[in-house]
Amino acid sequence: MATVQSTYPAGLRAGLAGMIANAETANVITRIAGGAIAFGQPCVRTGDRTCAIADEAYTAAGSESPGNAANTGTITDAPTVSGGVKAGRYTITMLDPATNAGQFVVEDPDGVSIGFGTVAVEFTGGGLTFTISDGSQDFVAGEQLYVDVSADVGSEVLGISVRDPSLDVSNNDAFAQYDSVPIMTMGVIWVTAGATVVAGDLVYWDDADSRYTDLATDFPVIVNGTHARFETGGADGDLVKIAIR
């Protein structure tokens, strides 16, 4: 007789991504998937009854300090944002003015320098791309311009998609477009960490890796006006619990 199984794990795995983790009070709603949504992913509202996966979308607005001299120059109204950008105010300070030119330094919202640039030449760094245009009057050393970056949630974050064990395994642990998606809006659920996280940390979503982190540069998981927190800690790739309360 053939052997069906000859080795056994020392213990059962604690859970799978998208499984409700314990028996404390939880609330689950349903919405229609606007596209593929894997188990254990944050969902945002896209219509009356539809949802999609949350993504890291940011917008940026450029402005000039009101203390600058008149007509010294302007910054791109809507700088381009890319990976690594931080939410908050970036400060650009003129260092070495020159006729129709001049050098400046850019500091991120934490006050960390992300590079130097030149007036009238496109600057790229720290997740931002913009150009400072020279005005009819040259800049003065110490004058400043700003880029304010904000997370563009786009739609209301509804909660986390709950695993459905009845779906065919060929779905790759995901709901297909037009499936009815159960979404946990309150409770504790298993998810996959995308970085080392600690119990009590605020929860963010890295859509590039489809995992959860405690990095404020990622997408904030805020449900019902409350920022979700890690219930347990772990390393990158570990199953951990997050709580929505």
Side-chain angles (χ1 to χ4, degrees):
M1 182 176 179
T3 301
V4 176
Q5 183 173 348
S6 60
T7 59
Y8 299 87
L12 296 175
R13 54 188 171 187
L16 295 169
M19 288 179 62
I20 294 178
N22 59 31
E24 71 178 78
T25 300
N27 187 64
V28 176
I29 62 175
T30 58
R31 293 292 185 271
I32 303 302
I37 298 176
F39 301 156
Q41 294 190 328
C43 300
V44 296
R45 183 191 305 275
T46 57
D48 290 343
R49 291 287 303 165
T50 57
C51 65
I53 301 170
D55 60 13
E56 296 173 50
Y58 293 88
T59 55
S63 62
E64 301 77 36
S65 171
N68 293 356
N71 304 317
T72 52
T74 59
I75 188 171
T76 304
D77 287 338
T80 301
V81 296
S82 58
V85 75
K86 298 179 181 178
R89 169 163 283 191
Y90 288 73
T91 302
I92 300 102
T93 304
M94 290 296 161
L95 298 176
D96 185 19
T99 302
N100 299 322
Q103 188 181 55
F104 57 82
V105 63
V106 184
E107 296 179 320
D108 72 11
D110 297 318
V112 178
S113 173
I114 61 171
F116 298 88
T118 303
V119 172
V121 177
E122 185 177 82
F123 172 87
T124 299
L128 289 178
T129 298
F130 60 83
T131 301
I132 294 177
S133 301
D134 189 39
S136 59
Q137 180 173 323
D138 293 326
F139 282 102
V140 175
E143 289 188 324
Q144 294 184 322
L145 304 95
Y146 310 111
V147 176
D148 291 294
V149 178
S150 58
D152 181 12
V153 175
S155 301
E156 176 190 354
V157 179
L158 297 170
I160 310 298
S161 60
V162 177
R163 174 174 290 269
D164 186 344
S166 69
L167 288 182
D168 188 281
V169 292
S170 64
N171 282 24
N172 297 315
D173 282 356
F175 299 97
Q177 187 177 19
Y178 307 126
D179 279 350
S180 181
V181 182
I183 301 171
M184 191 190 77
T185 65
M186 180 179 68
V188 181
I189 192 168
W190 288 103
V191 299
T192 303
T196 298
V197 298
V198 177
D201 284 351
L202 298 178
V203 177
Y204 295 85
W205 170 248
D206 181 354
D207 67 334
D209 290 333
S210 297
R211 294 182 176 184
Y212 294 84
T213 76
D214 60 356
L215 306 177
T217 51
D218 291 326
F219 189 92
V221 180
I222 299 174
V223 184
N224 300 322
T226 301
H227 205 138
R229 291 184 180 271
F230 286 99
E231 190 80 350
T232 59
D236 186 7
D238 286 350
L239 276 175
V240 295
K241 299 176 186 178
I242 62 174
I244 300 171
R245 297 190 172 100

